[in-house]
Amino acid sequence: MAGFRALAEQVRNPRLVAAQRRTALRKCLERFAPYGHRATWHHLCTRAGIATQDRDPDPERLIAALTELEEARDLWLAYEEEFAARRRKEKHDGIRQPGVLDDWHRRTWGGCDIVPCASPQRHPAARLAVVLHSMIVAMEAGRPRRDCPVCGSTRFSWLPETADVPVSGPACRQCGVLAPVAVLTPEALTAAGRVGGAGAFAAA
């Protein structure tokens, strides 16, 4: 099975037809998809100006989408290296009990569903790397907050786990991300409530 870098080379390969290069980009999302596969694909297509169902997209637009994905992946890989080094030091110093950051990082190891979205069509407009950086900073700060670490909104709805969204939690009603429970104050979580489900969120 080809790895991310090999697939990225296929996306950039001018000898391949556009449909093959598109397929390679989709397969990149099996290795790294911060919003989840469908939401990350929709995000990249929206920002690069590609119709999500276009089987013969402009190769330059595919490369633009890939460049954004690689930028976010590089940031995340650097964070994972720093995190692993810090945990090794903590264990060496006798700190064995995992904390909130460890729990979040364990769930997001590998780069999929780092910042899951409540809907494949509803996600932050900013570049992936910007969103990931904001979430990393918020988690590492260790101070619960009332607002979304991505967009600053204070309006959340509790999204229950479903077949389409295999995670649950407080979904930002403005940018669509599911914030880690640990990053929000008890007051923000209480205000989010447990409102029916994805339908109630989508209508917000």
Short mmCIF file of all heavy atoms in Angstrom, two decimals, residues 36-96:
data_model
loop_
_atom_site.label_atom_id
_atom_site.label_comp_id
_atom_site.label_asym_id
_atom_site.label_seq_id
_atom_site.Cartn_x
_atom_site.Cartn_y
_atom_site.Cartn_z
N GLY A 36 -11.64 14.47 9.17
CA GLY A 36 -12.29 13.25 8.73
C GLY A 36 -12.26 13.25 7.20
O GLY A 36 -12.08 14.30 6.57
N HIS A 37 -12.40 12.09 6.59
CA HIS A 37 -12.20 11.97 5.14
C HIS A 37 -13.11 12.87 4.33
O HIS A 37 -12.65 13.66 3.49
CB HIS A 37 -12.39 10.51 4.72
CG HIS A 37 -11.96 10.22 3.32
ND1 HIS A 37 -12.70 10.59 2.22
CD2 HIS A 37 -10.85 9.62 2.83
CE1 HIS A 37 -12.08 10.22 1.12
NE2 HIS A 37 -10.96 9.62 1.46
N ARG A 38 -14.41 12.78 4.56
CA ARG A 38 -15.36 13.51 3.71
C ARG A 38 -15.27 15.01 3.92
O ARG A 38 -15.29 15.79 2.96
CB ARG A 38 -16.77 13.00 3.97
CG ARG A 38 -17.01 11.57 3.52
CD ARG A 38 -18.35 11.05 4.00
NE ARG A 38 -19.45 11.84 3.49
CZ ARG A 38 -20.66 11.87 4.06
NH1 ARG A 38 -20.89 11.20 5.17
NH2 ARG A 38 -21.62 12.60 3.52
N ALA A 39 -15.17 15.44 5.18
CA ALA A 39 -15.11 16.88 5.46
C ALA A 39 -13.79 17.47 4.96
O ALA A 39 -13.77 18.60 4.45
CB ALA A 39 -15.28 17.14 6.94
N THR A 40 -12.69 16.73 5.09
CA THR A 40 -11.41 17.24 4.60
C THR A 40 -11.43 17.36 3.09
O THR A 40 -10.93 18.34 2.52
CB THR A 40 -10.25 16.33 5.04
OG1 THR A 40 -10.26 16.20 6.47
CG2 THR A 40 -8.91 16.89 4.61
N TRP A 41 -12.02 16.38 2.41
CA TRP A 41 -12.13 16.44 0.95
C TRP A 41 -12.96 17.65 0.52
O TRP A 41 -12.58 18.39 -0.39
CB TRP A 41 -12.75 15.15 0.41
CG TRP A 41 -12.98 15.15 -1.06
CD1 TRP A 41 -14.19 15.17 -1.71
CD2 TRP A 41 -11.99 15.13 -2.10
NE1 TRP A 41 -14.01 15.17 -3.07
CE2 TRP A 41 -12.67 15.15 -3.34
CE3 TRP A 41 -10.60 15.12 -2.10
CZ2 TRP A 41 -12.01 15.15 -4.56
CZ3 TRP A 41 -9.93 15.11 -3.33
CH2 TRP A 41 -10.63 15.14 -4.54
N HIS A 42 -14.09 17.84 1.18
CA HIS A 42 -14.96 18.97 0.83
C HIS A 42 -14.23 20.29 1.06
O HIS A 42 -14.31 21.21 0.25
CB HIS A 42 -16.24 18.91 1.66
CG HIS A 42 -17.29 19.89 1.23
ND1 HIS A 42 -17.32 21.19 1.69
CD2 HIS A 42 -18.33 19.77 0.37
CE1 HIS A 42 -18.34 21.82 1.14
NE2 HIS A 42 -18.98 20.99 0.34
N HIS A 43 -13.49 20.37 2.18
CA HIS A 43 -12.73 21.58 2.49
C HIS A 43 -11.69 21.86 1.42
O HIS A 43 -11.59 23.00 0.92
CB HIS A 43 -12.04 21.41 3.85
CG HIS A 43 -11.02 22.46 4.13
ND1 HIS A 43 -11.33 23.67 4.73
CD2 HIS A 43 -9.68 22.51 3.88
CE1 HIS A 43 -10.23 24.40 4.84
NE2 HIS A 43 -9.21 23.72 4.34
N LEU A 44 -10.90 20.86 1.05
CA LEU A 44 -9.85 21.06 0.05
C LEU A 44 -10.43 21.45 -1.30
O LEU A 44 -9.90 22.34 -1.99
CB LEU A 44 -9.01 19.79 -0.08
CG LEU A 44 -8.15 19.41 1.13
CD1 LEU A 44 -7.50 18.05 0.90
CD2 LEU A 44 -7.09 20.47 1.40
N CYS A 45 -11.51 20.79 -1.68
CA CYS A 45 -12.14 21.12 -2.96
C CYS A 45 -12.68 22.54 -2.97
O CYS A 45 -12.51 23.28 -3.95
CB CYS A 45 -13.27 20.13 -3.26
SG CYS A 45 -12.72 18.47 -3.72
N THR A 46 -13.31 22.93 -1.87
CA THR A 46 -13.87 24.28 -1.77
C THR A 46 -12.78 25.33 -1.90
O THR A 46 -12.91 26.30 -2.66
CB THR A 46 -14.62 24.45 -0.44
OG1 THR A 46 -15.69 23.50 -0.37
CG2 THR A 46 -15.17 25.86 -0.30
N ARG A 47 -11.69 25.14 -1.18
CA ARG A 47 -10.62 26.14 -1.19
C ARG A 47 -9.86 26.16 -2.52
O ARG A 47 -9.40 27.21 -2.95
CB ARG A 47 -9.65 25.87 -0.04
CG ARG A 47 -10.22 26.28 1.32
CD ARG A 47 -9.16 26.20 2.41
NE ARG A 47 -7.97 26.95 2.06
CZ ARG A 47 -7.79 28.25 2.29
NH1 ARG A 47 -8.74 28.95 2.87
NH2 ARG A 47 -6.67 28.85 1.95
N ALA A 48 -9.75 25.00 -3.18
CA ALA A 48 -9.00 24.94 -4.44
C ALA A 48 -9.88 25.22 -5.66
O ALA A 48 -9.37 25.32 -6.77
CB ALA A 48 -8.33 23.58 -4.58
N GLY A 49 -11.19 25.32 -5.45
CA GLY A 49 -12.09 25.58 -6.57
C GLY A 49 -12.36 24.35 -7.42
O GLY A 49 -12.50 24.44 -8.64
N ILE A 50 -12.46 23.20 -6.77
CA ILE A 50 -12.75 21.93 -7.46
C ILE A 50 -14.16 21.48 -7.07
O ILE A 50 -14.51 21.50 -5.89
CB ILE A 50 -11.75 20.84 -7.06
CG1 ILE A 50 -10.32 21.27 -7.36
CG2 ILE A 50 -12.07 19.52 -7.75
CD1 ILE A 50 -9.26 20.34 -6.77
N ALA A 51 -14.95 21.07 -8.04
CA ALA A 51 -16.24 20.46 -7.73
C ALA A 51 -15.96 19.09 -7.11
O ALA A 51 -15.16 18.32 -7.64
CB ALA A 51 -17.09 20.32 -8.98
N THR A 52 -16.62 18.79 -6.01
CA THR A 52 -16.30 17.56 -5.28
C THR A 52 -16.50 16.30 -6.12
O THR A 52 -15.83 15.30 -5.89
CB THR A 52 -17.14 17.44 -4.00
OG1 THR A 52 -18.53 17.52 -4.34
CG2 THR A 52 -16.79 18.55 -3.02
N GLN A 53 -17.40 16.34 -7.09
CA GLN A 53 -17.66 15.17 -7.93
C GLN A 53 -16.97 15.24 -9.29
O GLN A 53 -17.17 14.35 -10.13
CB GLN A 53 -19.17 15.00 -8.13
CG GLN A 53 -19.95 14.80 -6.84
CD GLN A 53 -19.48 13.59 -6.06
OE1 GLN A 53 -19.19 12.54 -6.63
NE2 GLN A 53 -19.42 13.73 -4.74
N ASP A 54 -16.16 16.26 -9.50
CA ASP A 54 -15.46 16.42 -10.79
C ASP A 54 -14.42 15.32 -10.95
O ASP A 54 -13.47 15.24 -10.16
CB ASP A 54 -14.80 17.80 -10.84
CG ASP A 54 -14.18 18.09 -12.20
OD1 ASP A 54 -14.18 17.21 -13.07
OD2 ASP A 54 -13.67 19.22 -12.37
N ARG A 55 -14.57 14.48 -11.98
CA ARG A 55 -13.64 13.36 -12.20
C ARG A 55 -12.45 13.77 -13.06
O ARG A 55 -11.53 12.99 -13.24
CB ARG A 55 -14.37 12.20 -12.88
CG ARG A 55 -15.58 11.69 -12.10
CD ARG A 55 -15.16 11.06 -10.79
NE ARG A 55 -16.32 10.63 -9.99
CZ ARG A 55 -16.24 10.05 -8.81
NH1 ARG A 55 -15.05 9.83 -8.27
NH2 ARG A 55 -17.33 9.71 -8.16
N ASP A 56 -12.48 14.97 -13.59
CA ASP A 56 -11.40 15.43 -14.46
C ASP A 56 -11.01 16.87 -14.09
O ASP A 56 -11.10 17.77 -14.92
CB ASP A 56 -11.84 15.34 -15.93
CG ASP A 56 -10.70 15.63 -16.90
OD1 ASP A 56 -9.54 15.30 -16.56
OD2 ASP A 56 -10.96 16.19 -17.98
N PRO A 57 -10.58 17.07 -12.87
CA PRO A 57 -10.30 18.44 -12.40
C PRO A 57 -9.00 19.00 -12.97
O PRO A 57 -8.14 18.25 -13.46
CB PRO A 57 -10.19 18.27 -10.88
CG PRO A 57 -9.70 16.87 -10.71
CD PRO A 57 -10.35 16.08 -11.81
N ASP A 58 -8.87 20.30 -12.90
CA ASP A 58 -7.64 20.98 -13.31
C ASP A 58 -6.49 20.50 -12.43
O ASP A 58 -6.55 20.63 -11.20
CB ASP A 58 -7.84 22.49 -13.15
CG ASP A 58 -6.62 23.30 -13.53
OD1 ASP A 58 -5.56 22.70 -13.78
OD2 ASP A 58 -6.73 24.54 -13.56
N PRO A 59 -5.43 19.94 -13.01
CA PRO A 59 -4.30 19.44 -12.21
C PRO A 59 -3.69 20.49 -11.30
O PRO A 59 -3.24 20.18 -10.19
CB PRO A 59 -3.30 18.97 -13.27
CG PRO A 59 -4.15 18.59 -14.44
CD PRO A 59 -5.26 19.61 -14.44
N GLU A 60 -3.67 21.75 -11.75
CA GLU A 60 -3.10 22.79 -10.90
C GLU A 60 -3.93 22.99 -9.63
O GLU A 60 -3.38 23.28 -8.56
CB GLU A 60 -3.01 24.11 -11.68
CG GLU A 60 -1.99 24.10 -12.80
CD GLU A 60 -0.58 23.79 -12.29
OE1 GLU A 60 -0.20 24.37 -11.24
OE2 GLU A 60 0.12 22.97 -12.91
N ARG A 61 -5.22 22.80 -9.75
CA ARG A 61 -6.08 22.91 -8.57
C ARG A 61 -5.86 21.73 -7.63
O ARG A 61 -5.89 21.87 -6.40
CB ARG A 61 -7.55 23.01 -8.99
CG ARG A 61 -7.88 24.29 -9.75
CD ARG A 61 -9.35 24.36 -10.13
NE ARG A 61 -9.64 25.51 -10.96
CZ ARG A 61 -9.94 26.72 -10.49
NH1 ARG A 61 -9.99 26.92 -9.18
NH2 ARG A 61 -10.18 27.71 -11.32
N LEU A 62 -5.61 20.56 -8.20
CA LEU A 62 -5.30 19.39 -7.38
C LEU A 62 -4.01 19.62 -6.60
O LEU A 62 -3.91 19.29 -5.41
CB LEU A 62 -5.15 18.14 -8.26
CG LEU A 62 -6.43 17.58 -8.87
CD1 LEU A 62 -6.09 16.43 -9.82
CD2 LEU A 62 -7.38 17.08 -7.78
N ILE A 63 -3.03 20.20 -7.26
CA ILE A 63 -1.75 20.46 -6.60
C ILE A 63 -1.92 21.51 -5.49
O ILE A 63 -1.32 21.41 -4.42
CB ILE A 63 -0.70 20.92 -7.63
CG1 ILE A 63 -0.34 19.74 -8.55
CG2 ILE A 63 0.55 21.45 -6.93
CD1 ILE A 63 0.58 20.11 -9.70
N ALA A 64 -2.79 22.50 -5.73
CA ALA A 64 -3.06 23.50 -4.70
C ALA A 64 -3.68 22.85 -3.47
O ALA A 64 -3.32 23.17 -2.32
CB ALA A 64 -3.98 24.59 -5.25
N ALA A 65 -4.61 21.93 -3.70
CA ALA A 65 -5.25 21.22 -2.59
C ALA A 65 -4.22 20.36 -1.86
O ALA A 65 -4.18 20.32 -0.62
CB ALA A 65 -6.39 20.35 -3.11
N LEU A 66 -3.38 19.68 -2.61
CA LEU A 66 -2.34 18.85 -2.01
C LEU A 66 -1.38 19.69 -1.17
O LEU A 66 -0.98 19.28 -0.07
CB LEU A 66 -1.57 18.10 -3.09
CG LEU A 66 -0.35 17.29 -2.61
CD1 LEU A 66 -0.78 16.17 -1.68
CD2 LEU A 66 0.44 16.76 -3.80
N THR A 67 -1.00 20.85 -1.69
CA THR A 67 -0.07 21.72 -0.97
C THR A 67 -0.62 22.12 0.39
O THR A 67 0.09 22.12 1.39
CB THR A 67 0.23 22.98 -1.82
OG1 THR A 67 0.85 22.58 -3.04
CG2 THR A 67 1.16 23.92 -1.07
N GLU A 68 -1.92 22.45 0.43
CA GLU A 68 -2.53 22.79 1.72
C GLU A 68 -2.53 21.59 2.66
O GLU A 68 -2.25 21.72 3.86
CB GLU A 68 -3.95 23.31 1.53
CG GLU A 68 -4.62 23.62 2.86
CD GLU A 68 -5.96 24.31 2.74
OE1 GLU A 68 -6.30 24.77 1.63
OE2 GLU A 68 -6.66 24.40 3.77
N LEU A 69 -2.84 20.42 2.12
CA LEU A 69 -2.86 19.21 2.94
C LEU A 69 -1.47 18.89 3.48
O LEU A 69 -1.31 18.54 4.66
CB LEU A 69 -3.39 18.04 2.11
CG LEU A 69 -3.63 16.72 2.85
CD1 LEU A 69 -4.76 16.89 3.88
CD2 LEU A 69 -3.98 15.60 1.87
N GLU A 70 -0.45 19.03 2.64
CA GLU A 70 0.93 18.76 3.07
C GLU A 70 1.38 19.75 4.14
O GLU A 70 2.09 19.37 5.09
CB GLU A 70 1.88 18.82 1.88
CG GLU A 70 1.75 17.65 0.92
CD GLU A 70 2.67 17.78 -0.27
OE1 GLU A 70 2.79 18.89 -0.82
OE2 GLU A 70 3.27 16.76 -0.67
N GLU A 71 0.99 21.00 3.99
CA GLU A 71 1.34 22.01 4.99
C GLU A 71 0.80 21.63 6.36
O GLU A 71 1.51 21.71 7.38
CB GLU A 71 0.77 23.37 4.55
CG GLU A 71 1.00 24.49 5.55
CD GLU A 71 0.24 25.76 5.18
OE1 GLU A 71 -0.83 25.66 4.52
OE2 GLU A 71 0.71 26.84 5.56
N ALA A 72 -0.45 21.19 6.39
CA ALA A 72 -1.07 20.78 7.65
C ALA A 72 -0.42 19.51 8.19
O ALA A 72 -0.18 19.38 9.40
CB ALA A 72 -2.57 20.56 7.45
N ARG A 73 -0.10 18.58 7.30
CA ARG A 73 0.52 17.33 7.74
C ARG A 73 1.91 17.58 8.32
O ARG A 73 2.28 16.97 9.34
CB ARG A 73 0.61 16.36 6.57
CG ARG A 73 1.21 15.00 6.92
CD ARG A 73 1.08 14.04 5.76
NE ARG A 73 1.66 12.75 6.07
CZ ARG A 73 2.91 12.38 5.81
NH1 ARG A 73 3.73 13.25 5.21
NH2 ARG A 73 3.36 11.18 6.11
N ASP A 74 2.68 18.46 7.70
CA ASP A 74 4.01 18.78 8.23
C ASP A 74 3.90 19.36 9.64
O ASP A 74 4.69 19.02 10.53
CB ASP A 74 4.73 19.77 7.31
CG ASP A 74 5.19 19.13 6.00
OD1 ASP A 74 5.20 17.89 5.92
OD2 ASP A 74 5.51 19.89 5.06
N LEU A 75 2.93 20.25 9.84
CA LEU A 75 2.73 20.84 11.16
C LEU A 75 2.37 19.76 12.17
O LEU A 75 2.90 19.73 13.30
CB LEU A 75 1.64 21.90 11.09
CG LEU A 75 1.33 22.68 12.37
CD1 LEU A 75 0.89 24.09 12.04
CD2 LEU A 75 0.24 21.99 13.21
N TRP A 76 1.47 18.86 11.79
CA TRP A 76 1.03 17.81 12.71
C TRP A 76 2.15 16.83 13.03
O TRP A 76 2.31 16.42 14.18
CB TRP A 76 -0.18 17.08 12.13
CG TRP A 76 -0.74 16.07 13.07
CD1 TRP A 76 -0.69 14.72 12.95
CD2 TRP A 76 -1.42 16.33 14.30
NE1 TRP A 76 -1.29 14.11 14.02
CE2 TRP A 76 -1.76 15.09 14.86
CE3 TRP A 76 -1.79 17.49 14.97
CZ2 TRP A 76 -2.43 14.97 16.07
CZ3 TRP A 76 -2.45 17.38 16.18
CH2 TRP A 76 -2.77 16.14 16.72
N LEU A 77 2.93 16.44 12.03
CA LEU A 77 4.04 15.51 12.28
C LEU A 77 5.06 16.13 13.23
O LEU A 77 5.61 15.45 14.10
CB LEU A 77 4.70 15.10 10.97
CG LEU A 77 3.87 14.22 10.03
CD1 LEU A 77 4.64 13.94 8.75
CD2 LEU A 77 3.49 12.91 10.72
N ALA A 78 5.32 17.42 13.07
CA ALA A 78 6.25 18.11 13.97
C ALA A 78 5.69 18.11 15.39
O ALA A 78 6.43 17.90 16.37
CB ALA A 78 6.49 19.53 13.49
N TYR A 79 4.39 18.33 15.51
CA TYR A 79 3.75 18.32 16.84
C TYR A 79 3.85 16.92 17.46
O TYR A 79 4.15 16.78 18.66
CB TYR A 79 2.29 18.75 16.73
CG TYR A 79 1.50 18.44 17.98
CD1 TYR A 79 1.75 19.13 19.17
CD2 TYR A 79 0.54 17.45 17.98
CE1 TYR A 79 1.04 18.84 20.32
CE2 TYR A 79 -0.17 17.15 19.13
CZ TYR A 79 0.08 17.84 20.30
OH TYR A 79 -0.60 17.54 21.44
N GLU A 80 3.61 15.89 16.66
CA GLU A 80 3.68 14.52 17.19
C GLU A 80 5.09 14.20 17.68
O GLU A 80 5.26 13.53 18.71
CB GLU A 80 3.24 13.51 16.13
CG GLU A 80 1.75 13.51 15.88
CD GLU A 80 1.29 12.31 15.07
OE1 GLU A 80 2.09 11.80 14.26
OE2 GLU A 80 0.13 11.89 15.25
N GLU A 81 6.10 14.68 16.97
CA GLU A 81 7.48 14.46 17.41
C GLU A 81 7.74 15.17 18.74
O GLU A 81 8.36 14.60 19.65
CB GLU A 81 8.46 14.95 16.34
CG GLU A 81 8.51 14.08 15.09
CD GLU A 81 9.53 14.58 14.09
OE1 GLU A 81 10.31 15.50 14.42
OE2 GLU A 81 9.55 14.07 12.96
N GLU A 82 7.30 16.40 18.84
CA GLU A 82 7.49 17.16 20.08
C GLU A 82 6.74 16.50 21.24
O GLU A 82 7.26 16.41 22.37
CB GLU A 82 7.00 18.59 19.90
CG GLU A 82 7.83 19.42 18.93
CD GLU A 82 7.20 20.77 18.65
OE1 GLU A 82 6.15 21.08 19.26
OE2 GLU A 82 7.75 21.52 17.81
N PHE A 83 5.53 16.04 20.95
CA PHE A 83 4.73 15.40 22.00
C PHE A 83 5.41 14.12 22.48
O PHE A 83 5.50 13.87 23.69
CB PHE A 83 3.34 15.07 21.45
CG PHE A 83 2.44 14.42 22.46
CD1 PHE A 83 1.64 15.19 23.28
CD2 PHE A 83 2.39 13.04 22.58
CE1 PHE A 83 0.81 14.59 24.22
CE2 PHE A 83 1.58 12.43 23.51
CZ PHE A 83 0.78 13.20 24.34
N ALA A 84 5.89 13.30 21.54
CA ALA A 84 6.55 12.05 21.92
C ALA A 84 7.80 12.32 22.75
O ALA A 84 8.07 11.62 23.73
CB ALA A 84 6.90 11.25 20.66
N ALA A 85 8.57 13.33 22.37
CA ALA A 85 9.78 13.67 23.11
C ALA A 85 9.43 14.13 24.53
O ALA A 85 10.11 13.77 25.50
CB ALA A 85 10.56 14.75 22.37
N ARG A 86 8.36 14.92 24.65
CA ARG A 86 7.95 15.41 25.96
C ARG A 86 7.49 14.25 26.85
O ARG A 86 7.82 14.20 28.05
CB ARG A 86 6.84 16.44 25.82
CG ARG A 86 6.41 17.04 27.15
CD ARG A 86 5.56 18.28 26.98
NE ARG A 86 4.29 18.02 26.36
CZ ARG A 86 3.93 18.48 25.16
NH1 ARG A 86 4.78 19.22 24.44
NH2 ARG A 86 2.75 18.21 24.66
N ARG A 87 6.74 13.32 26.29
CA ARG A 87 6.26 12.18 27.08
C ARG A 87 7.42 11.30 27.53
O ARG A 87 7.42 10.78 28.65
CB ARG A 87 5.26 11.36 26.27
CG ARG A 87 3.88 11.97 26.19
CD ARG A 87 3.24 12.13 27.56
NE ARG A 87 2.98 10.85 28.21
CZ ARG A 87 3.11 10.62 29.50
NH1 ARG A 87 3.55 11.59 30.31
NH2 ARG A 87 2.84 9.44 30.01
N ARG A 88 8.43 11.14 26.68
CA ARG A 88 9.60 10.35 27.08
C ARG A 88 10.29 11.01 28.27
O ARG A 88 10.69 10.32 29.22
CB ARG A 88 10.57 10.21 25.91
CG ARG A 88 10.14 9.21 24.86
CD ARG A 88 11.27 8.86 23.92
NE ARG A 88 11.74 10.01 23.16
CZ ARG A 88 11.26 10.37 21.98
NH1 ARG A 88 10.28 9.65 21.42
NH2 ARG A 88 11.73 11.41 21.33
N LYS A 89 10.40 12.32 28.22
CA LYS A 89 11.04 13.04 29.33
C LYS A 89 10.21 12.94 30.60
O LYS A 89 10.75 12.73 31.70
CB LYS A 89 11.24 14.52 28.96
CG LYS A 89 11.97 15.32 30.04
CD LYS A 89 12.17 16.75 29.64
CE LYS A 89 13.00 17.51 30.67
NZ LYS A 89 12.42 17.45 32.02
N GLU A 90 8.89 13.06 30.46
CA GLU A 90 8.02 12.97 31.63
C GLU A 90 8.12 11.59 32.27
O GLU A 90 8.17 11.46 33.50
CB GLU A 90 6.57 13.27 31.22
CG GLU A 90 6.32 14.74 30.90
CD GLU A 90 4.93 14.98 30.36
OE1 GLU A 90 4.23 14.01 30.02
OE2 GLU A 90 4.54 16.17 30.26
N LYS A 91 8.15 10.55 31.45
CA LYS A 91 8.27 9.19 32.00
C LYS A 91 9.62 9.01 32.68
O LYS A 91 9.72 8.36 33.73
CB LYS A 91 8.08 8.17 30.88
CG LYS A 91 6.65 8.08 30.37
CD LYS A 91 6.52 7.08 29.25
CE LYS A 91 5.08 7.00 28.74
NZ LYS A 91 4.94 6.04 27.61
N HIS A 92 10.66 9.59 32.08
CA HIS A 92 11.98 9.52 32.68
C HIS A 92 11.99 10.21 34.04
O HIS A 92 12.69 9.78 34.99
CB HIS A 92 13.02 10.16 31.76
CG HIS A 92 14.42 10.14 32.30
ND1 HIS A 92 14.93 11.17 33.07
CD2 HIS A 92 15.41 9.20 32.21
CE1 HIS A 92 16.17 10.88 33.41
NE2 HIS A 92 16.49 9.68 32.91
N ASP A 93 11.20 11.27 34.16
CA ASP A 93 11.13 12.03 35.40
C ASP A 93 10.12 11.45 36.39
O ASP A 93 9.86 12.03 37.44
CB ASP A 93 10.77 13.50 35.11
CG ASP A 93 11.87 14.22 34.34
OD1 ASP A 93 13.02 13.73 34.35
OD2 ASP A 93 11.57 15.25 33.71
N GLY A 94 9.51 10.34 36.01
CA GLY A 94 8.58 9.67 36.92
C GLY A 94 7.14 10.09 36.79
O GLY A 94 6.30 9.70 37.60
N ILE A 95 6.82 10.89 35.77
CA ILE A 95 5.42 11.31 35.55
C ILE A 95 4.77 10.29 34.62
O ILE A 95 4.92 10.34 33.39
CB ILE A 95 5.36 12.72 34.93
CG1 ILE A 95 6.11 13.72 35.82
CG2 ILE A 95 3.91 13.16 34.74
CD1 ILE A 95 6.24 15.10 35.21
N ARG A 96 4.06 9.34 35.19
CA ARG A 96 3.49 8.24 34.42
C ARG A 96 2.01 8.41 34.11
O ARG A 96 1.50 7.85 33.16
CB ARG A 96 3.68 6.92 35.18
CG ARG A 96 5.13 6.55 35.43
CD ARG A 96 5.75 5.97 34.18
NE ARG A 96 7.18 5.68 34.35
CZ ARG A 96 7.92 5.07 33.43
NH1 ARG A 96 7.36 4.68 32.31
NH2 ARG A 96 9.20 4.86 33.64
#
